[in-house]
Structures are given as C-alpha cells and as structure tokens.
Amino acid sequence: MTELSSLILDRIRDVPDYPQPGVLFKDITPLLADPVAFDAVIEELAGLYEVDKIVGIEARGFILAAPTAVRAGAGFVPVRKKGKLPSETLEASYDLEYGSATIEVHRDAFVPGERVLIVDDVLATGGTARAAVELVRRAGADVVAVAVLMELAFLKGRERLTDVELHTLVVV
C-alpha cells in the first residue's frame, strides 16, 4: 500500500445504513478535515493529466474537483442535479446503487476539442460517471479520464467505463 493510499484509507469513515438500510456509506469528511491529507489528494489529482477543464460531479465531487482545477491551472465545470443550473443544459439520467437520478451540465461549458478530466469522490455502480462522460462528449469536449478518490470494487462500476481511462486513488 502506498503512503497516499494509507493517508486516504485511514481518514475514511464507514457509516452503516446511510442513506438507507443496507448501504455502507464512505464518509470522506475526516479526510477533508485533515489539511495534509486533503492537500496530498489534490496534488495527486492535479498532476495526473494536462487538461483544459476539470468537471466535478455534485456534490462531493465539487469539493475535490474545484481545488484540483485551481492547482492544475484548468477551468472548473460543475455537473449538477437536474434543475440546479441557470442556463441552457444538456442532461443525462442514470441508475445508481440506491435509486436513480438526472444530472446536467451547461450546454456551453466546453469549447469543442477541450481536454477534460472528470473528478468524483466515489466510483460505485458507475452510473454517475458514465452519465458525466456522455454529457461532456455531447457538449463537444474530449474526456481524457475519470479520476476518483475511491472505487467500491464490489459494485463493478469500472465495467461501465471501459471506453475511458479510469484513475482511482484507492480501491475498497
């Protein structure tokens, strides 16, 4: 196990039966509260790829993607839940491990051909990441990769992302 992996795993709290019975929620707030660990994560994510924009997926993805974009010298683009963006949007619906949802991005968020890194906290079933990949591509940009803080391997989310590079900092 790498030093970064240990730093991350030691600061992720398991919360059983949240947000509903049978789900083991991975709480990253202890990691975010540790400035050394949080900085190490941002440094790692920012150094992965040279990109024009970094997409953060609502809501915890914003926490990781925005500082990563600043550190990488890239723009930040939020992908939000349906109805939360004020201008014309593209949308994609998907299933997740405990329900379904729709996400949106502003139609004009990207210049065609821009290189984009999608960042989120967790890769679970892969539905959210798959929908984000499709939104970015429909907007005319190139998805360089999807990067996540942690992958829940037992949910096999990577199987939905076989056409895009996937970078995970830890696998649980």
Side-chain angles (χ1 to χ4, degrees):
M1 183 178 301
T2 69
E3 185 177 333
L4 180 60
S5 295
S6 295
L7 200 61
I8 293 168
L9 291 171
D10 290 347
R11 288 157 183 82
I12 293 174
R13 173 176 36 217
D14 288 343
V15 181
D17 298 320
Y18 183 83
Q20 66 184 41
V23 174
L24 181 63
F25 185 80
K26 298 292 187 177
D27 180 13
I28 67 168
T29 59
L31 172 76
L32 300 174
D34 181 329
V36 172
F38 189 25
D39 184 66
V41 166
I42 298 308
E43 185 66 28
E44 178 70 16
L45 291 171
L48 291 175
Y49 307 94
E50 288 191 25
V51 295
D52 302 300
K53 301 268 175 69
I54 295 181
V55 163
I57 300 173
E58 188 169 350
R60 291 173 300 174
F62 294 173
I63 297 167
L64 298 173
T68 297
V70 170
R71 180 85 48 95
F76 169 73
V77 175
V79 166
R80 301 215 53 197
K81 294 173 185 165
K82 184 176 177 68
K84 300 291 186 180
L85 291 171
S87 192
E88 189 176 345
T89 61
L90 298 171
E91 70 176 49
S93 296
Y94 61 96
D95 292 323
L96 48 109
E97 64 273 25
Y98 47 83
S100 63
T102 300
I103 56 174
E104 296 179 319
V105 68
H106 277 135
R107 187 174 290 277
D108 62 356
F110 308 101
V111 173
E114 281 187 314
R115 294 171 46 83
V116 176
L117 172 64
I118 298 171
V119 173
D120 205 1
D121 64 326
V122 175
L123 177 65
T125 64
T128 310
R130 173 84 261 149
V133 167
E134 296 309 319
L135 283 177
V136 172
R137 288 178 176 164
R138 283 175 40 213
D142 297 324
V143 177
V144 173
V146 173
V148 296
L149 176 66
M150 78 182 112
E151 176 182 355
L152 306 179
F154 68 96
L155 291 174
K156 300 179 172 36
R158 74 172 40 244
E159 293 176 5
R160 297 181 75 177
L161 300 172
T162 57
D163 64 333
V164 65
E165 189 170 336
L166 174 62
H167 187 89
T168 61
L169 298 188
V170 295
V171 178
V172 294

